[in-house]
């Protein structure tokens, strides 16, 4: 359910970082997902581990974790968070063909970790693109979205239970 006002703006329309000083610290979890579609031959290189640049998904996993930790530096009005846990999972999908990335971020604090999970997915997919662009410049990142969030005043969001967005 959308909020009636955008909290990153003052009543005068000026950008602001949201005041979280009075919010309770709770366990916060967010799960995001996205995919990168590629030529079947590119996916085969990743799957076989024969790409000349090395372990594409291993490097992308580290990049995702680093990206999650740098979110507040990249997104101007995000609060810096102390992440307590980040997991990055990849699955190879021959029907795309491509790679699906799912990231779970956790913290204990007064604000959520949705942006960290979404940033981590994007950075992971960008890293796959960077490592494979020499063999496939037509790769396309797609379907980046929040799957789940829990903790805090706004309650739980779960993509499976809430209405799908009109773009999917």
């Amino acid at each position: 359910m959308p909020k009636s006002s955008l909290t990153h703006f003052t009543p005068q329309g000026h950008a602001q970082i949201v005041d979280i000083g009075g919010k309770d610290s709770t366990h916060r979890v967010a799960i995001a997902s996205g995919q990168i579609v590629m030529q079947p031959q590119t996916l085969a290189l990743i799957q076989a581990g024969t790409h000349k640049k090395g372990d594409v998904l291993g490097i992308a996993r580290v990049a995702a974790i680093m990206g999650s930790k740098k979110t507040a530096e990249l997104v101007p009005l995000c609060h810096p968070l102390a992440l307590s846990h980040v997991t990055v999972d990849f699955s190879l999908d021959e029907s795309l063909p491509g790679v699906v990335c799912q990231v779970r971020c956790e913290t204990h604090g007064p604000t959520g970790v949705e942006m960290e999970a979404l940033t981590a997915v994007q950075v992971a997919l960008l890293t796959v693109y960077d490592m494979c662009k020499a063999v496939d410049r037509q790769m396309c990142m797609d379907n980046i979205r929040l799957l789940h969030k829990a903790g805090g005043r706004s309650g739980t969001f779960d993509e499976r239970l809430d209405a799908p967005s009109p773009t999917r």
Side-chain angles (χ1 to χ4, degrees), residues 18-86:
V18 175
D19 182 2
I20 58 171
K23 293 173 75 177
D24 292 332
S25 286
T26 61
H27 180 227
R28 314 283 185 132
V29 177
I31 302 170
S33 180
Q35 62 194 33
I36 184 166
V37 180
M38 59 192 60
Q39 297 296 319
Q41 313 84 283
T42 309
L43 181 60
L45 281 174
I46 293 171
Q47 190 168 25
T50 55
H51 193 292
K52 68 179 181 176
K53 287 190 175 183
D55 179 7
V56 173
L57 299 183
I59 301 295
R61 178 173 286 107
V62 172
I65 293 166
M66 290 174 67
S68 70
K69 295 178 355 178
K70 297 283 189 181
T71 300
E73 294 176 35
L74 299 169
V75 182
L77 300 178
C78 279
H79 291 87
L81 300 182
L83 295 168
S84 57
H85 193 68
V86 177

Side-chain angles (χ1 to χ4, degrees), residues 79-107:
H79 291 87
L81 300 182
L83 295 168
S84 57
H85 193 68
V86 177
T87 58
V88 182
D89 294 307
F90 295 103
S91 57
L92 305 179
D93 187 338
E94 293 181 9
S95 69
L96 287 174
V99 177
V100 177
C101 175
Q102 184 170 298
V103 174
R104 176 186 177 104
C105 291
E106 296 183 46
T107 192

